[in-house]
Amino acid sequence: THVDAYDAFCNGTWLLEAREYRQAALALERAKALEPDKGSIREALGRAYLSSRSYRRAAEEFAAAVELSPTDGYAHYGLARSLDRLGDPLAARHYRLAECFGTGLD
């Protein structure tokens, strides 16, 4: 199961880099089904949804990533971006937390 999840995750992240966001989401959903408690999978799935403008789903995945790893600055940043697109005022809090923990975007 771990190997299948890893393969799906690798395929999904490759598709993200290739800007094939919907296909990436499908691969990452498979990985999530096998390993739902992996923050890296949830974060990558959030990125796929954010990039395909599925902001509600992106927020759900980034929120799960933040819950699994509260000091993950990039997950906070992704959650902030998603919430911002949805017009949710909680976005500001997560932008601050992203800055506090670092996003790796510098």
Side-chain angles (χ1 to χ4, degrees):
T1 313
H2 294 294
V3 173
D4 294 335
Y6 180 74
D7 287 345
F9 175 74
C10 288
N11 186 40
T13 55
W14 183 84
L15 287 163
L16 266 176
E17 295 301 316
R19 298 178 183 228
E20 296 290 338
Y21 304 122
R22 295 189 196 290
Q23 292 300 108
L26 292 173
L28 293 163
E29 281 288 352
R30 282 193 300 278
K32 179 179 108 172
L34 296 167
E35 296 282 345
D37 294 329
K38 293 287 185 191
S40 56
I41 292 172
R42 305 302 287 267
E43 185 180 297
L45 184 53
R47 288 175 48 213
Y49 285 139
L50 183 62
S51 296
S52 62
R53 298 182 176 149
S54 296
Y55 303 124
R56 175 80 47 215
R57 294 176 96 180
E60 291 169 5
E61 294 306 323
F62 283 122
V66 163
E67 188 173 317
L68 291 165
S69 182
T71 60
D72 182 341
Y74 189 83
H76 280 286
Y77 177 74
L79 181 54
R81 292 270 321 263
S82 304
L83 293 173
D84 207 5
R85 297 286 196 253
L86 293 167
D88 189 320
L90 277 176
R93 177 177 190 269
H94 289 284
Y95 278 127
R96 285 192 304 276
L97 288 167
E99 188 174 331
C100 176
F101 296 124
T103 60
L105 297 177
D106 307 336

